[in-house]
Amino acid sequence: MDNTANILLANQEYEDRKKSKPLAYVLWLLLGMFAAHRFYSGQTGYAFVMLLLGWFTLGIWNLIDVFLVGGAIDRSNNELKSGIYRKYGIQ
């Protein structure tokens, strides 16, 4: 298979699997105290800590997290894209 076909396949797989920022913000808004947006972004360790300690901060951590959600989704998507590109042998 030539490189162009691999690039097309990799891009299609990435588009199918990438996380949505708008959905992450909706999860933050509706289920933020349960760290749903962190579970969604694949940061399960962070999410469990947030579940345990977030209640002690009386929701302040959740308010601060609104500024971090977009970056978390970007990092998750970048890691996903790197993994997919490695899988298809794309630099």
Side-chain angles (χ1 to χ4, degrees):
M1 198 177 299
D2 67 348
N3 198 33
T4 304
N6 280 346
I7 291 171
L8 290 173
L9 286 171
N11 285 336
Q12 184 60 50
E13 183 174 342
Y14 171 72
E15 289 298 321
D16 290 345
R17 294 178 53 196
K18 75 178 181 179
K19 306 290 184 186
S20 163
K21 273 189 189 181
L23 178 56
Y25 279 108
V26 168
L27 289 171
W28 170 84
L29 182 65
L30 299 177
L31 299 169
M33 290 301 288
F34 300 106
H37 56 291
R38 290 297 181 169
F39 283 110
Y40 174 70
S41 71
Q43 298 177 314
T44 54
Y46 193 108
F48 281 117
V49 170
M50 193 174 177
L51 275 173
L52 295 174
L53 299 179
W55 295 99
F56 295 114
T57 64
L58 302 174
I60 299 211
W61 189 349
N62 196 37
L63 290 175
I64 293 169
D65 216 28
V66 72
F67 300 105
L68 305 175
V69 171
I73 296 299
D74 288 340
R75 281 188 300 281
S76 175
N77 284 338
N78 286 339
E79 289 172 13
L80 175 66
K81 191 173 200 174
S82 295
I84 291 171
Y85 276 29
R86 272 194 307 276
K87 174 181 157 184
Y88 285 95
I90 300 168
Q91 297 292 331

